[in-house]
Amino acid sequence: MSIDSEKPWLSEYPDWLPHDVDQGRIKLLHQYLWDAADEFPERPAFTNFGKTLNYRELRDTATTFGRNLVEHGGMKPGDRLAVMLPNLLQYPIVLFGALSQGLIVVNVNPLYTARELRHQLKDSGAGAIVVLENFAHVLAEVIDDTEVSTAIVTKVGDCLPTAKAMLLNTVLKYVKKAVPPWDIDHALTFKELMTRHSDVQSEPVEIDPNDLAFLQYTGGTTGLSKGVELTHRNISANVEQAISWTSNEIRRGEEIAITALPLYHIFALTANCFFITALAGLNVLVTNPRDFKGFVKELSRWKFTYITGVNTLYAALLNTPGFKSLDFSALKISLGAGMAVTRPVAEQWKSVTGRTLIELYGLSEASPAVSANLMDLEDYNGSVGLPVASTIAVICDEQGKPLQIGQEGELCVSGPQVMRGYWKNADATREAFTENGYLRTGDWAVMDEKGFIRLLDRKKDMVIVSGFNVYPNEIEDVVSAHPGVFEVAAIGVDDEKSGERVKLFVVRNDEALSEEALIEWCKTQLTSYKRPKLVEFRDELPKSAVGKILRRALR
C-alpha cells in the first residue's frame, strides 16, 4: 500500500468541509491583523488587566514598534528577535510588529533557567530580545555569551493607563518582590522605544510566504531543544485549516476567546493569536492561569465563545469553586490538546458546560494542528479525530514503511503546515522525515477504517513489560477515573524480572485513598502486565509551561 493510495478520512468530511486548503487564502501572518483592522477597526482585539486594544490601535501600535525596532535596534529582515513574555498586551504588539518587518520571532519561555536561555539565544543567533522585567535578571546572567546586542525591557503595566500601571508595577516590585535586581548595559525600555521617532518608510517590507516567521523551539525531551523552522506559509496554512474546520460554528467579528495558554507556546500561538485575529475576534489574555481563583473571576466577566487548554487546566478549572456556576450559554468551542484528554475530564466538562471538549492533535513541527475531531462531536470518543484539510497521515513501522489500517505504529504526516526543518541541524532534520518526506511525529498511534486516529503514547514514553507494549496514556486514563484521584502520571521503572514495570505518581482528591486501593482498582480494568506495581503520592506533579505533566522529570 502506498502512503497516498488511501485517504479514508475524506469520506467522513461533511459536504461543506473542503478537502484542501485554498492556496489563494495563504497570507503573510501580520496581514491577518492588517485586514481585521481595515474591516473592523473598532472591534476589540486583545484585552488584559482591564485594558483593551481595538484592531486599529493594535495595528498602529505594532507598526510603531516594528519601525522603531528596525530604526533604533538595528534589525533587518531575516534577523531573529527573541520574545520572552507571558500573556500581556505587549506580546501581540511585539509579535505583529516584528513580523511586519520581516523579522524571525524566537519565542522564549519566560521561566527558562540561565542554561536554557543561553542555549536558545546562542542557537538562534538572536540579535535582539524583548523581555519582561521580572525575568531580566536571567538575561543579564547570559547576555554576554550571546549575539544579543539590543535588549528591550518591559514592565507588566507598560500598556496600561498611567495610574494603574504605577500601582501594579510598584506592588510587583516592592510588595511581592517579583522583580529581582538586574543590570544590562544599554538596555532600552519598551516605553522608551515606543516613543522614539522613526524615519523608517511606511512602505511594506518585501516578504515571501516561504520566508521564516518563527524559530519555535521544542521542549527538548531528548536533549537540547531544537529550533523548528516555521514559515509564514506553514502557520497561515494551519490557520486556514482551522477556519475551514470550524466554519459551521464560528462567525467573523463575533468571537470571544479565552487565552490562558501562553502565547509563546505553539498551540496558543496558532489556535488563539493568529486564528482569532484572522476572525477579527477578541483574545482575553490571562497572564497567570495558575491563579485559578482569579482565572474564574476573569471568566465571569465574559460571555466567551471559545477556549483552549490542556487536560490539567480543564481539570483544575472544574475543581475550582465558582467555575460550575459560570454562564456557558455563549460557549461554542472547547479545544483540548498538548496532552491526552482523559475521559473523566471530558465527561465532566460536558456535564458542566454543555459543550463537548474537542480533542485535537498537533506538534510544533506541524504549526501545530495535524488532526481534530469535528466540532459537532456529541461525546468524547478517545480519538484525536481526522487529518485536517490537505493533510495526509499514515501509520508507519520502524523503517518508515506504511502499515495496514488497524496496525499500531508511528504516526507520520505530510501537509503544508509541516516545518521546513530544524534550524542549522541537518542531521536532526534528516532523521525527522521518512524517505517519502513524511514527518515522523514520534507518537505511537493506530488509525481505524474511517480514518480516525487514536494515540497510544509517545514512542519514547512507552513501557515494555515482559516484551509487551504498555502505553502510559491508557494507564492514566483508567487511574484518573477513580474518584479519589485528582492527577496521575505513569512511567516505566527498571525491573529485574520483566525489564520494566509501571509506577504511578498520584495527586489525591481523597487523602484516605491508599496504594492498595488504587492497585485493586486497576486490577478490575487492566490486564496483569499493564497493572501498576508501585504508587507514589505527591502534593503536585511537575508540569510544563502549558500544564502538561512532565513524565521525563518523574523518571
Side-chain angles (χ1 to χ4, degrees):
M1 181 187 75
S2 71
I3 288 180
D4 296 323
S5 62
E6 294 185 11
K7 301 177 185 176
W9 53 88
L10 294 182
S11 62
E12 298 300 308
Y13 276 27
D15 292 340
W16 51 264
L17 182 59
H19 292 184
D20 294 294
V21 172
D22 181 353
Q23 293 298 311
R25 292 179 57 87
I26 299 297
K27 297 184 179 183
L28 299 175
L29 294 173
H30 63 277
Q31 197 63 47
Y32 286 119
L33 170 58
W34 268 235
D35 289 350
D38 284 340
E39 188 177 355
F40 299 96
E42 303 300 324
R43 168 77 179 169
F46 285 82
T47 188
N48 181 239
F49 285 116
K51 169 68 174 179
T52 300
L53 292 176
N54 65 34
Y55 274 95
R56 184 189 64 253
E57 292 167 333
L58 178 57
R59 181 177 61 181
D60 292 347
T61 311
T63 298
T64 299
F65 174 83
R67 290 177 186 167
N68 286 354
L69 182 63
V70 169
E71 178 79 2
H72 303 290
M75 303 293 279
K76 61 184 184 301
D79 285 350
R80 275 79 65 203
L81 172 69
V83 181
M84 193 171 178
L85 297 173
N87 287 3
L88 297 168
L89 289 176
Q90 291 93 310
Y91 186 92
I93 291 170
V94 170
L95 177 74
F96 287 108
L99 292 173
S100 72
Q101 294 298 317
L103 304 182
I104 300 169
V105 173
V106 182
N107 277 312
V108 180
N109 184 341
L111 299 180
Y112 267 173
T113 63
R115 179 191 65 82
E116 293 166 321
L117 178 60
R118 180 186 293 108
H119 164 70
Q120 191 161 327
L121 293 179
K122 290 182 70 173
D123 188 73
S124 66
I129 185 171
V130 181
V131 61
L132 186 66
E133 186 183 37
N134 305 50
F135 312 108
H137 66 287
V138 183
L139 175 62
E141 189 176 335
V142 305
I143 192 168
D144 290 341
D145 299 332
T146 73
E147 297 177 36
V148 173
S149 58
T150 301
I152 301 156
V153 182
T154 187
K155 298 180 180 181
V156 168
D158 276 353
C159 290
L160 305 180
T162 303
K164 188 170 187 177
M166 290 180 63
L167 177 61
L168 181 57
N169 291 336
T170 299
V171 168
L172 285 173
K173 187 169 185 175
Y174 298 106
V175 180
K176 295 192 174 182
K177 308 292 185 184
V179 184
W182 59 273
D183 183 17
I184 300 173
D185 289 341
H186 311 300
L188 288 170
T189 69
F190 178 79
K191 296 191 78 170
E192 178 188 6
L193 182 69
M194 292 299 291
T195 55
R196 286 190 174 187
H197 174 70
S198 174
D199 294 325
V200 176
Q201 297 300 307
S202 60
E203 287 79 9
V205 176
E206 194 168 321
I207 308 169
D208 188 275
N210 294 312
D211 288 343
L212 284 183
F214 290 91
L215 293 182
Q216 192 72 18
Y217 277 74
T218 62
T221 56
T222 57
L224 291 174
S225 59
K226 301 184 289 290
V228 176
E229 297 179 331
L230 297 176
T231 66
H232 286 263
R233 182 179 298 277
N234 289 149
I235 294 184
S236 180
N238 215 216
V239 171
E240 296 304 325
Q241 288 164 329
I243 290 173
S244 66
W245 204 262
T246 59
S247 60
N248 264 21
E249 297 283 344
I250 52 90
R251 295 293 178 267
R252 185 167 170 77
E254 297 181 7
E255 307 308 327
I256 298 176
I258 300 300
T259 304
L261 296 180
L263 288 170
Y264 60 77
H265 188 274
I266 190 64
F267 183 17
L269 179 68
T270 299
N272 289 72
C273 189
F274 289 119
F275 174 63
I276 296 301
T277 299
L279 298 172
L282 170 63
N283 270 293
V284 179
L285 299 181
V286 180
T287 305
N288 181 18
R290 297 187 181 186
D291 171 15
F292 284 98
K293 182 179 178 181
F295 189 178
V296 169
K297 186 177 180 180
E298 183 67 23
L299 290 175
S300 70
R301 298 188 176 107
W302 304 94
K303 294 199 71 171
F304 58 95
T305 64
Y306 175 92
I307 186 170
T308 57
V310 295
N311 193 76
T312 50
L313 182 141
Y314 288 123
L317 281 176
L318 288 164
N319 282 277
T320 300
F323 177 77
K324 294 178 182 179
S325 61
L326 294 176
D327 180 2
F328 300 104
S329 60
L331 182 60
K332 300 177 183 178
I333 295 175
S334 307
L335 296 182
M339 63 182 295
V341 171
T342 61
R343 182 177 294 278
V345 169
E347 291 178 347
Q348 191 178 2
W349 184 264
K350 174 71 176 290
S351 174
V352 170
T353 69
R355 300 296 295 189
T356 303
L357 181 50
I358 303 294
E359 188 170 9
L360 60 154
Y361 166 78
L363 64 166
S364 295
E365 290 85 344
S367 300
V370 168
S371 68
N373 281 288
L374 296 171
M375 296 298 108
D376 62 357
L377 181 71
E378 285 294 323
D379 293 297
Y380 174 83
N381 62 5
S383 92
V384 292
L386 307 166
V388 296
S390 291
T391 303
I392 299 174
V394 65
I395 308 301
C396 293
D397 62 16
E398 294 280 1
Q399 289 71 46
K401 304 299 181 185
L403 297 169
Q404 298 295 323
I405 292 292
Q407 290 186 288
E408 298 177 359
E410 184 177 9
L411 177 60
C412 298
V413 300
S414 175
Q417 73 273 44
V418 172
M419 69 171 182
R420 196 164 78 180
Y422 292 115
W423 176 252
K424 294 184 177 179
N425 198 331
D427 289 341
T429 299
R430 185 167 50 253
E431 293 170 3
F433 291 90
T434 68
E435 291 181 0
N436 305 73
Y438 282 67
L439 174 68
R440 295 177 177 270
T441 67
D443 286 305
W444 226 238
V446 64
M447 181 185 290
D448 67 19
E449 65 281 355
K450 293 182 178 180
F452 284 91
I453 299 166
R454 183 167 60 87
L455 291 183
L456 301 173
D457 228 307
R458 285 293 297 172
K459 187 177 177 181
K460 294 179 177 63
D461 284 344
M462 188 166 60
V463 184
I464 311 295
V465 179
S466 300
F468 292 98
N469 294 347
V470 177
Y471 301 105
N473 278 350
E474 180 186 7
I475 311 301
E476 291 164 2
D477 198 46
V478 167
V479 175
S480 66
H482 191 290
V485 172
F486 175 57
E487 288 180 338
V488 60
I491 66 166
V493 296
D494 291 339
D495 185 85
E496 289 185 5
K497 293 183 179 180
S498 59
E500 287 186 296
R501 55 180 170 171
V502 177
K503 178 177 179 178
L504 299 178
F505 293 85
V506 175
V507 178
R508 289 179 283 201
N509 270 332
D510 180 0
E511 291 301 316
L513 178 64
S514 67
E515 177 179 357
E516 294 75 16
L518 205 50
I519 290 175
E520 283 299 315
W521 170 271
C522 293
K523 283 182 180 179
T524 65
Q525 301 178 68
L526 295 168
T527 191
S528 59
Y529 69 87
K530 295 182 181 180
R531 294 171 194 158
K533 301 297 189 288
L534 300 168
V535 179
E536 181 176 326
F537 294 110
R538 291 196 173 189
D539 293 333
E540 61 180 359
L541 299 179
K543 297 185 180 73
S544 71
V546 297
K548 180 178 181 179
I549 294 172
L550 297 174
R551 294 190 189 121
R552 68 178 184 275
L554 294 170
R555 284 195 295 268

